[in-house]
Amino acid sequence: MPLLCFSDVLRRAGIEPKKTMLIRHALSQAEFEQCYKLDQNNGNKKLVFAYTCNQDVGFSDGMDYWAVFISDKGATCKFYGLYHVGGWVPDTPDLKPAQYPENSPSFKGNRAFYMLERDKRFEQYENRLVIDWGKNARSWHQKATNEKEIIGIQSSKAFVNYDDV
């Protein structure tokens, strides 16, 4: 049994795991990979954010928060951001950001575009906190009551050389 899980961090921040959805975006999924790479090149999170907001109607029923992760090596994934969930509107074409992949089935008006607000309490862990998603990688979304072991927190400082240590 792991000693430190992501649900522990949520509780410490006053967030109820049973009201939090864990989402794991996979770089092996073509549409997401395009959004992620374009965001990396542009230095923003607009396309990944839009990709995250676009889900099936009812996807977030009963959830107050979404904790978003991006797949890494094996079953590990890196924390991307925590979002408070508001309401939703139909995913109409006018919500589609510029540069969003053209071949996408999203933004046709038949899904939901959730109103997400970034929660900055976890900002210090973005792109640094690594968890083990577990053996069931096909389940790309799960409740945060499913224990996800924290494997590590990567340093935010770049290693320059031994002379500066």
Side-chain angles (χ1 to χ4, degrees):
M1 180 172 138
L3 292 177
L4 183 60
C5 296
F6 189 72
S7 58
D8 299 323
V9 176
L10 289 172
R11 283 188 199 94
R12 177 89 176 163
I15 297 171
E16 185 58 51
K18 68 181 176 185
K19 295 287 211 168
T20 305
M21 180 75 70
L22 304 178
I23 296 173
R24 178 182 176 266
H25 293 315
L27 287 168
S28 60
Q29 205 281 333
E31 183 179 344
F32 176 73
E33 181 186 28
Q34 282 184 282
C35 290
Y36 183 77
K37 284 183 177 179
L38 285 167
D39 275 357
Q40 295 297 306
N41 292 338
N42 296 331
N44 64 44
K45 294 184 171 187
K46 291 179 182 178
L47 300 178
V48 170
F49 181 75
Y51 180 89
T52 302
C53 289
N54 192 272
Q55 302 292 337
D56 288 333
V57 174
F59 173 77
S60 193
D61 289 352
M63 296 292 129
D64 294 336
Y65 290 91
W66 292 358
V68 180
F69 295 85
I70 297 180
S71 65
D72 207 11
K73 297 174 184 113
T76 64
C77 50
K78 196 176 286 186
F79 178 68
Y80 190 76
L82 179 71
Y83 300 93
H84 183 264
V85 183
W88 64 272
V89 295
D91 69 334
T92 54
D94 60 305
L95 293 172
K96 184 177 178 179
Q99 294 188 316
Y100 200 86
E102 288 299 321
N103 56 350
S104 169
S106 304
F107 300 101
K108 306 280 190 226
N110 55 355
R111 299 183 76 204
F113 189 86
Y114 286 89
M115 301 300 152
L116 302 180
E117 183 180 335
R118 186 168 163 244
D119 190 315
K120 293 187 178 185
R121 289 180 284 180
F122 282 56
E123 183 175 39
Q124 64 186 342
Y125 300 113
E126 291 176 1
N127 300 309
R128 295 181 52 223
L129 185 137
V130 179
I131 66 168
D132 181 356
W133 190 260
K135 294 179 181 176
N136 196 357
R138 286 186 174 193
S139 296
W140 62 271
H141 63 90
Q142 303 176 15
K143 287 186 179 179
T145 52
N146 292 337
E147 301 290 0
K148 303 295 180 189
E149 181 179 10
I150 295 176
I151 299 206
I153 301 173
Q154 299 171 342
S155 175
S156 59
K157 297 178 183 174
F159 180 77
V160 180
N161 61 47
Y162 286 108
D163 293 337
D164 293 337
V165 174

